[in-house]
Amino acid sequence: MIHDYEEQLLQLIDDNIDSATDDELFAGGYLRGHISLAVADCEHQGINDIAVMQQRVKQSLLNAKSELSPSDWQLVQQYSDKLMA
């Protein structure tokens, strides 16, 4: 179930490549790793709850906040919220 959700999210990112802005391309590319990492972590722990996976993506982004400028982090955060809505 979580793996299917991961595929849906990654497909949404891929589907927007042709029409995405540079900022959206950056945010999508950055999010891909966080999404896949959260899914792998959930699968390793036997967790099948999408809400838990979404929370792990959010926590992963918070943990990586210092890697990005404030404006880039906000951009990634907004794209993440939009994608997982």
Side-chain angles (χ1 to χ4, degrees), residues 63-74:
N63 293 346
K65 187 175 182 177
S66 65
E67 295 176 0
L68 301 172
S69 70
S71 61
D72 283 347
W73 188 83
Q74 184 177 17

Side-chain angles (χ1 to χ4, degrees), residues 35-77:
I35 291 168
S36 295
L37 182 63
V39 169
D41 187 43
C42 286
E43 287 179 343
H44 179 70
Q45 295 182 9
I47 296 169
N48 291 315
D49 188 339
I50 289 174
V52 172
M53 186 280 280
Q54 289 175 327
Q55 184 57 43
R56 291 194 179 191
V57 171
K58 290 180 184 285
Q59 187 61 51
S60 180
L61 291 173
L62 282 172
N63 293 346
K65 187 175 182 177
S66 65
E67 295 176 0
L68 301 172
S69 70
S71 61
D72 283 347
W73 188 83
Q74 184 177 17
L75 177 71
V76 169
Q77 196 66 24

